[in-house]
Amino acid sequence: MPTLRLALCQVNPTVGDLAGNAALVRAWARRAADAGAQLVAFPEMVLTGYPVEDLVFRRSFVAASRAALDRLAADLAADGLGELPVLVGYLDADGPPQVSGDAEPGRGARNAAALLHRGGIVATYFKHHLPNYGVFDEDRYFVPGRELTVVRVGGVDVALTICEDLWQAGGPFAAARQAGVGLVLNINGSPYELNKDDIRLPLVRRRAAEAGATIAYVNMIGGQDELVFEGDSMIVTADGELLTRAPQFVEHLLVHDVDLPPARESAGPDEALADDMRVVRAAVDAVPPPAGGPAATGGIIAPVADEAEVWQALVLGLRDYVDKNRFPSVVLGLSGGIDSAVVAALAVDALGPDRVVGVSLPSQHSSEHSREDAAELAKRTGLDYRVEPIQPMVDTFLANMSLSGVSVENLQARVRGVILMALSNQEGHLVLTTGNKSELAVGYSTLYGDSVGGFNPVKDVWKTLVWRLAKWRNADAARRGETPPIPENSIGKPPSAELSPGQLDSDTLPDYDVLDPILIGYVDGDLGRDGLVASGHDPAIVDRVLRMVDTAEYKRRQSAPGTKISMKAFGRDRRLPITNRWREDG
Amino acid sequence: MPTLRLALCQVNPTVGDLAGNAALVRAWARRAADAGAQLVAFPEMVLTGYPVEDLVFRRSFVAASRAALDRLAADLAADGLGELPVLVGYLDADGPPQVSGDAEPGRGARNAAALLHRGGIVATYFKHHLPNYGVFDEDRYFVPGRELTVVRVGGVDVALTICEDLWQAGGPFAAARQAGVGLVLNINGSPYELNKDDIRLPLVRRRAAEAGATIAYVNMIGGQDELVFEGDSMIVTADGELLTRAPQFVEHLLVHDVDLPPARESAGPDEALADDMRVVRAAVDAVPPPAGGPAATGGIIAPVADEAEVWQALVLGLRDYVDKNRFPSVVLGLSGGIDSAVVAALAVDALGPDRVVGVSLPSQHSSEHSREDAAELAKRTGLDYRVEPIQPMVDTFLANMSLSGVSVENLQARVRGVILMALSNQEGHLVLTTGNKSELAVGYSTLYGDSVGGFNPVKDVWKTLVWRLAKWRNADAARRGETPPIPENSIGKPPSAELSPGQLDSDTLPDYDVLDPILIGYVDGDLGRDGLVASGHDPAIVDRVLRMVDTAEYKRRQSAPGTKISMKAFGRDRRLPITNRWREDG
């Protein structure tokens, strides 16, 4: 039985940075070669970054991707790595035009993978199953491939697949079984979701059984705009044995010797396979394995606890948003409350205290303990701490306008927003927003006030999870003998916006222990009123919460729309990655 | 040859307002019956409104749509309209599950049409071609239908189709020819785009030829969030003759007697038609045509000039956004410049002067003519005019912070934003934003400053078109003997942000006559740098403009993102209509 030393390169590319991503591939291919690898795989669209969204529609970008691929193949050979077969994801466009209406002439873009060897491209594969749900819009961007590419490497038949191909039954994995392959490479840009790692391993096992082959799964890591990729690369045998598994949220080279069945002389049929696919075959000579050394094993990293996993995801998402967009530093308001304390702790973990500015913005309604808790947080974390009282500005507005009630509450939040944005303009910091998902859901925030900012690390974190994260982070620090970053008082005190005398969240909202389960059912679970009531929630509270969410839905959306008179209005239909290093002029 | 009196009801539904939309159908079916109609058609998804976006994922909403359809059929019969066949669009969900990955269990939602008759549903049709480009995401939401529904009405075979079915070759129209039908009903939710009416008629002619049948095309009108539907309903014969055409942007009942071929006794095949479709047949008795009266003719409305068309689209989009969201009134800042003047004129046309508040927000940099031009606009249009000087608030910020340069410019715009939002909170107005598409493209605006607001009527209007619209509106007023609303001085003077002494747009930007064609190529046309230079633009200016657009792209997007840790984070992946009247609790 042949043995192949596989190297899975769990790296962190950046959308649009073709030169940087190619350099990343060259550096990690070198590391893989040094480890004696015979076959190397990089993630989905590693060369362009993922997801490229509407960049697909720029012919110049597609052409740049293809040119970069050719150059990479040549550069790998020039680096002395030409004998090593290297699989990379990239953007191609040789497909037939997409059907997209007479009004919008189609394109034939492909989510593609190429096997590079001896300075050239020896095989390509086009993603077959295109995800078009949740964060994915691939039916909009790509034409599905209809061919399964099988490459004979070192006497083993290896099928090439991409991400979603693994998530749907039938298609390439069924075809791989029919074609009689011994190994399926699956390259991924699979975004992190809570508990997704618990789903992934059983899924890989199911597909390995379907294909009757070992699966080598490699996923990227890193933050890309709103998404975080987590890695969790692994190799699983046809009978479901987990051979090796990489850690989450860090770059990692996973090298493992895998025993694989020799290619059958008379392989399976090449036509009329599952999903009307057909097989295209190629072959490369493999470099011999290092003689005499020990077998390479990647080890198995056990997944971490939920809070640790979410914390790492949020730290990585924030760090990469700041660094890939080249912001020198961040600034945020510190209220003494739990949300801003957690965001500050995340920011310090992501960037270090020297790149985080925390501003206390007290008003006449700010309690003494709020100021003290903010100062205590600053002391514990070492961030750059400032105090900017807002009362003089608030008073000037009030002296010049006739405002009352909620207008005065919102005014205070907006003056804080103006101050943070002025600091951002003057000193170059990115403003962090700190509203949690529960607040966002019920609209318990001020439009253009506390919602001001360039990035919100906790926008998708329910309030009860914010508390759990704070407690976990403090306990983790204590376990390591470090100072817990978050003041106990910020965790323990009742939440308040402090925009009017004695105000508490509980004046307006149900307790978060009651609120969050309803919101989770309604927002995350798409349950209706009846479904929520059937789950045991109090009907009166359900009605109250649903009305708040429905109202907030358009309060939140009031910062965006206008009338479109073309297909290319700015706004949510123009989907461009923010962290995008690609420039027409290079 | 049989003659059928067709009634096409070009109405204005609201997303989520099932009860209101059903009432609309009943009222217009009554009008159609009074005009002697024998077959009535309403637009795509008229019962739910269109597009419903992520409401599709709420089972409770789908169930409500189906229940509303049954109730509507019964109500029409109770109204004495049971003998009249009425075609309405609605949301159904009896399809097989959508393939959407193991992670997201599928649904089988349908973009559907039902023919109502004698209190029941006699035929249904499910949209076959699903658009998934531009503003459309229908691959995400719907399962395509595979059956062509043919209903025999008054001796004529009538095929039912929906919107995109018309925009793609093959499929239902080719199947309709094979099935030997005499008439194809095509119901639409087709959004307005500049010059789309010039494309639509040739397209309908092409499909009429493909089907070998007359096409009756009915489209909705009205604003729905960012979209405007324009109507432009029409009937075109198999040989391309335009029989009747409705006006754009207004509700309209188009009634026309159409000579149609009798159904063949031996109709075409019912299996293995184009795109693997099969035919499902039904029949209804038609009411007889009114005896002895004159033939009904709908007339042919000629399309209007570009500026008139855009003006009407923007007025309708703004009016419906305000009214469907139930805002009592709007407020905007009046700088004396062209953008705010045009938006004010649009608002007065849309809502009347009593529902428009214009606020002059002068600073120490505001010129005398700016204040005069704003006051003159107010006088001409009759809107509610106020003056709120910003200098006291700006000075207080400057006294309490160390700001310089652009930070001070932005501060002024943000103080204006705070004032407008305070007026909005205090008095209930929706804030209108006035940045044109050229400014948005190059980032020539202040985040959380002049970009503050709930709706921007000119967000998709290039600056040079803003000027053309102003001139057209004034000339149109003069032609009708009315006061031109926009001061000539606002049209003629060089544009300036007036945030620093003597500042002009031309200090920072190329002339708009140079800038706009480059932006149109880059943004609307997806041209790359080389394509733009090949079109004759100065390479140095192209490079400068492209860098501004690429930078602005993420400046603009700094108000949104945060890290997602679930499929249902708030933000652009959660696609809910804003103007949504549907509530779980009724």
Side-chain angles (χ1 to χ4, degrees):
Chain A
M1 182 170 270
T3 297
L4 276 184
R5 181 165 296 181
L6 303 182
L8 304 181
C9 298
Q10 179 174 299
V11 296
N12 186 352
T14 298
V15 164
D17 187 8
L18 296 167
N21 296 336
L24 190 71
V25 170
R26 289 167 69 182
W28 285 71
R30 160 64 58 205
R31 291 184 54 188
D34 290 348
Q38 296 170 276
L39 175 61
V40 184
F42 284 87
E44 181 176 17
M45 293 187 78
V46 68
L47 195 53
T48 53
Y50 181 85
V52 296
E53 301 183 276
D54 281 9
L55 286 177
V56 163
F57 297 143
R58 293 213 168 270
R59 281 165 224 274
S60 48
F61 184 69
V62 176
S65 166
R66 294 176 59 148
L69 183 72
D70 289 336
R71 202 159 46 237
L72 174 61
D75 286 344
L76 285 170
D79 291 345
L81 301 171
E83 293 302 313
L84 183 63
V86 175
L87 182 66
V88 294
Y90 72 106
L91 170 64
D92 207 331
D94 75 339
Q98 272 174 297
V99 174
S100 56
D102 292 7
E104 171 91 337
R107 299 161 190 87
R110 302 285 201 176
N111 183 329
L115 190 68
L116 308 181
H117 191 241
R118 294 183 182 166
I121 298 163
V122 294
T124 55
Y125 170 77
F126 300 138
K127 190 174 185 177
H128 177 72
H129 285 309
L130 300 175
N132 203 63
Y133 53 87
V135 301
F136 304 108
D137 282 304
E138 294 205 355
D139 279 343
R140 170 181 291 258
Y141 295 127
F142 301 115
V143 178
R146 298 282 170 200
E147 294 176 344
L148 181 70
T149 304
V150 175
V151 186
R152 191 159 295 181
V153 183
V156 177
D157 276 348
V158 181
L160 311 181
T161 64
I162 302 178
C163 202
E164 184 77 6
D165 290 333
L166 181 87
W167 289 81
Q168 298 186 23
F173 283 80
R177 168 184 283 273
Q178 294 168 299
V181 310
L183 172 68
V184 182
L185 291 181
N186 181 246
I187 68 174
N188 289 266
S190 180
Y192 171 70
E193 272 174 69
L194 255 173
N195 305 324
K196 197 172 186 179
D197 55 330
D198 302 335
I199 301 170
R200 188 177 285 119
L201 176 56
L203 178 73
V204 174
R205 287 189 164 123
R206 205 151 66 237
R207 286 300 168 261
E210 185 180 357
T214 295
I215 295 180
Y217 171 102
V218 58
N219 190 16
M220 63 179 59
I221 70 127
Q224 178 65 46
D225 301 340
E226 297 210 331
L227 304 181
V228 183
F229 299 92
E230 68 179 305
D232 197 22
S233 303
M234 65 179 79
I235 301 175
V236 172
T237 66
D239 55 8
E241 188 190 353
L242 176 64
L243 295 180
T244 183
R245 186 171 198 172
Q248 291 168 284
F249 305 111
V250 291
E251 291 196 313
H252 189 79
L253 180 70
L254 194 66
V255 180
H256 199 89
D257 287 342
V258 184
D259 296 328
L260 293 164
R264 286 179 268 165
E265 266 326 293
S266 155
D270 281 358
E271 301 287 342
L273 305 185
D275 255 14
D276 284 331
M277 297 189 80
R278 56 183 288 271
V279 169
V280 173
R281 293 181 186 267
V284 295
D285 297 331
V287 290
T297 58
I300 296 178
I301 304 290
V304 297
D306 275 0
E307 289 84 359
E309 183 182 285
V310 172
W311 191 272
Q312 289 174 41
L314 298 179
V315 165
L316 180 58
L318 172 58
R319 179 191 301 136
D320 275 1
Y321 192 85
V322 171
D323 286 345
K324 290 182 178 180
N325 279 313
R326 299 191 172 109
F327 286 102
S329 49
V330 298
V331 64
L332 76 159
L334 296 181
S335 70
I338 184 67
D339 297 325
S340 60
V342 164
V343 171
L346 286 165
V348 169
D349 282 359
L351 307 168
D354 296 344
R355 297 176 70 193
V356 181
V357 179
V359 189
S360 169
L361 297 152
S363 76
Q364 62 184 16
H365 302 304
S366 299
S367 58
E368 195 51 39
H369 66 74
S370 294
R371 307 178 200 211
E372 286 166 5
D373 294 340
E376 172 67 17
L377 171 83
K379 194 176 129 205
R380 292 183 183 204
T381 56
L383 55 74
D384 178 354
Y385 183 61
R386 321 231 186 125
V387 180
E388 295 275 0
I390 67 168
Q391 207 57 45
M393 289 72 116
V394 171
D395 287 343
T396 311
F397 278 100
L398 293 177
N400 285 275
M401 300 184 75
S402 296
L403 301 178
S404 58
V406 171
S407 307
V408 178
E409 295 187 27
N410 285 336
L411 174 65
Q412 298 164 62
R414 292 196 180 109
V415 166
R416 291 187 173 117
V418 172
I419 291 173
L420 292 173
M421 287 306 296
L423 287 172
S424 167
N425 281 160
Q426 192 68 33
E427 304 177 4
H429 321 293
L430 173 72
V431 178
L432 298 185
T433 320
T434 65
N436 61 71
K437 190 175 185 178
S438 310
E439 276 182 14
L440 287 171
V442 296
Y444 195 67
S445 67
T446 298
L447 190 63
Y448 308 120
D450 51 319
S451 64
V452 155
F455 195 79
N456 179 356
V458 295
K459 71 169 257 184
D460 199 17
V461 182
W462 299 109
K463 182 81 173 189
T464 45
L465 181 53
V466 172
W467 273 307
R468 279 168 50 208
L469 290 175
K471 289 174 189 164
W472 172 84
R473 179 64 182 81
N474 273 5
D476 191 58
R479 192 164 47 243
R480 287 181 293 163
E482 296 169 3
T483 307
I486 299 163
E488 290 306 323
N489 201 31
S490 294
I491 301 176
K493 68 184 169 186
S496 166
E498 294 197 333
L499 294 173
S500 61
Q503 186 179 41
L504 292 177
D505 289 14
S506 54
D507 302 340
T508 306
L509 306 177
D511 278 353
Y512 288 105
D513 285 343
V514 174
L515 178 64
D516 276 4
I518 297 174
L519 292 174
I520 290 168
Y522 190 53
V523 175
D524 289 352
D526 277 325
L527 283 180
R529 177 191 186 278
D530 295 346
L532 290 164
V533 171
S535 313
H537 298 295
D538 180 320
I541 298 179
V542 167
D543 285 342
R544 185 175 149 214
V545 170
L546 265 46
R547 189 154 289 269
M548 282 193 284
V549 175
D550 291 346
T551 305
E553 196 74 59
Y554 73 59
K555 179 170 159 193
R556 178 171 39 257
R557 294 276 303 283
Q558 273 183 45
S559 53
T563 298
K564 285 173 65 90
I565 61 169
S566 75
M567 297 288 280
K568 294 285 184 179
F570 293 104
R572 64 175 177 158
D573 300 314
R574 190 172 152 80
R575 299 174 194 168
L576 282 165
I578 304 168
T579 315
N580 165 25
R581 291 281 176 81
W582 188 68
R583 296 289 177 263
E584 283 280 340
D585 56 356
Chain B
M1 183 171 268
T3 298
L4 276 184
R5 182 164 295 181
L6 303 181
L8 305 182
C9 298
Q10 180 173 299
V11 296
N12 185 353
T14 298
V15 164
D17 187 8
L18 295 167
N21 297 336
L24 189 71
V25 170
R26 289 166 68 183
W28 285 70
R30 160 62 58 205
R31 292 184 53 187
D34 290 347
Q38 297 170 276
L39 177 59
V40 184
F42 285 85
E44 181 176 15
M45 292 186 79
V46 68
L47 195 53
T48 52
Y50 181 86
V52 296
E53 300 183 274
D54 281 9
L55 286 178
V56 163
F57 296 141
R58 292 213 170 270
R59 280 166 225 274
S60 48
F61 184 68
V62 177
S65 167
R66 294 177 58 149
L69 183 73
D70 290 336
R71 202 158 45 236
L72 175 61
D75 287 343
L76 285 169
D79 291 343
L81 301 171
E83 293 302 314
L84 183 63
V86 176
L87 182 65
V88 294
Y90 72 106
L91 170 65
D92 207 332
D94 75 339
Q98 272 173 297
V99 173
S100 55
D102 292 7
E104 171 91 336
R107 299 160 189 86
R110 302 285 201 176
N111 183 329
L115 190 68
L116 308 182
H117 192 242
R118 294 185 182 165
I121 298 163
V122 293
T124 55
Y125 170 76
F126 300 139
K127 190 174 185 177
H128 177 72
H129 286 310
L130 300 176
N132 203 63
Y133 53 88
V135 301
F136 305 108
D137 282 305
E138 295 204 354
D139 279 344
R140 170 182 291 258
Y141 295 127
F142 301 115
V143 178
R146 298 283 169 199
E147 295 176 345
L148 181 70
T149 304
V150 175
V151 186
R152 191 159 296 181
V153 183
V156 178
D157 275 348
V158 181
L160 312 181
T161 64
I162 302 178
C163 201
E164 184 78 5
D165 290 332
L166 182 87
W167 289 81
Q168 298 186 25
F173 283 80
R177 168 184 285 274
Q178 294 169 301
V181 310
L183 173 69
V184 182
L185 291 181
N186 182 246
I187 68 174
N188 290 264
S190 180
Y192 172 70
E193 271 174 69
L194 255 172
N195 306 322
K196 197 173 188 177
D197 55 330
D198 302 335
I199 301 171
R200 188 177 284 120
L201 176 56
L203 179 73
V204 175
R205 287 191 164 122
R206 203 149 69 238
R207 286 297 169 263
E210 185 179 356
T214 295
I215 295 179
Y217 172 102
V218 58
N219 191 16
M220 62 180 60
I221 70 129
Q224 178 64 46
D225 301 338
E226 297 210 330
L227 304 181
V228 183
F229 299 92
E230 67 178 307
D232 198 21
S233 303
M234 64 179 79
I235 301 175
V236 171
T237 66
D239 54 9
E241 187 190 355
L242 176 64
L243 296 181
T244 184
R245 186 172 198 172
Q248 292 168 282
F249 305 110
V250 291
E251 290 196 316
H252 189 79
L253 181 70
L254 194 67
V255 180
H256 199 88
D257 287 343
V258 185
D259 295 330
L260 294 163
R264 287 178 269 165
E265 267 323 295
S266 156
D270 282 357
E271 300 288 343
L273 305 186
D275 254 15
D276 285 332
M277 297 189 79
R278 57 183 286 271
V279 170
V280 174
R281 294 183 186 266
V284 295
D285 297 330
V287 290
T297 58
I300 297 178
I301 304 290
V304 298
D306 275 2
E307 289 84 359
E309 184 181 285
V310 172
W311 192 271
Q312 289 174 41
L314 298 180
V315 165
L316 180 58
L318 173 57
R319 179 191 301 136
D320 275 0
Y321 192 85
V322 171
D323 286 346
K324 290 182 179 180
N325 279 313
R326 300 194 173 110
F327 287 103
S329 49
V330 298
V331 63
L332 75 160
L334 296 181
S335 69
I338 185 67
D339 297 326
S340 60
V342 163
V343 171
L346 286 165
V348 169
D349 282 0
L351 306 169
D354 297 344
R355 297 177 67 192
V356 182
V357 179
V359 188
S360 170
L361 298 152
S363 76
Q364 62 184 18
H365 302 304
S366 298
S367 58
E368 195 52 37
H369 67 75
S370 293
R371 305 177 200 211
E372 286 166 5
D373 295 341
E376 172 67 16
L377 171 84
K379 196 176 128 205
R380 292 185 183 202
T381 56
L383 56 72
D384 178 354
Y385 183 62
R386 322 230 186 126
V387 180
E388 296 275 0
I390 67 168
Q391 207 58 46
M393 287 72 116
V394 171
D395 288 343
T396 310
F397 278 99
L398 293 177
N400 285 276
M401 300 182 75
S402 297
L403 302 179
S404 58
V406 171
S407 307
V408 178
E409 295 187 26
N410 286 337
L411 174 64
Q412 299 164 63
R414 293 196 180 110
V415 166
R416 291 187 173 115
V418 172
I419 291 173
L420 292 173
M421 288 306 297
L423 288 171
S424 168
N425 280 161
Q426 192 68 36
E427 304 177 4
H429 321 294
L430 173 72
V431 177
L432 298 184
T433 321
T434 66
N436 63 70
K437 190 174 184 178
S438 310
E439 277 181 13
L440 288 171
V442 295
Y444 195 68
S445 69
T446 298
L447 189 63
Y448 309 120
D450 51 320
S451 64
V452 155
F455 195 79
N456 179 356
V458 295
K459 69 169 259 183
D460 199 17
V461 182
W462 299 110
K463 181 82 172 187
T464 45
L465 181 54
V466 172
W467 273 307
R468 279 168 50 207
L469 289 175
K471 290 172 190 165
W472 172 84
R473 180 63 183 81
N474 273 4
D476 191 57
R479 192 164 50 241
R480 288 180 291 163
E482 296 170 3
T483 307
I486 299 163
E488 289 306 322
N489 201 31
S490 294
I491 301 176
K493 67 185 171 188
S496 165
E498 295 197 329
L499 294 173
S500 60
Q503 185 180 42
L504 291 177
D505 289 15
S506 54
D507 303 340
T508 306
L509 307 176
D511 279 351
Y512 287 105
D513 285 344
V514 174
L515 178 64
D516 276 4
I518 296 174
L519 291 175
I520 290 168
Y522 190 53
V523 175
D524 289 352
D526 277 325
L527 283 179
R529 177 190 185 278
D530 296 346
L532 289 165
V533 171
S535 313
H537 298 295
D538 181 320
I541 299 180
V542 167
D543 285 343
R544 187 176 147 212
V545 170
L546 264 46
R547 189 154 289 270
M548 281 193 285
V549 175
D550 291 346
T551 305
E553 196 73 59
Y554 73 58
K555 180 171 159 191
R556 178 171 38 259
R557 293 277 303 283
Q558 273 184 44
S559 54
T563 297
K564 286 171 66 86
I565 61 167
S566 75
M567 298 287 280
K568 296 284 184 179
F570 294 104
R572 64 176 178 160
D573 301 314
R574 190 172 152 81
R575 299 174 193 167
L576 281 165
I578 305 167
T579 317
N580 165 23
R581 290 279 176 83
W582 188 68
R583 296 285 180 263
E584 282 281 343
D585 55 356

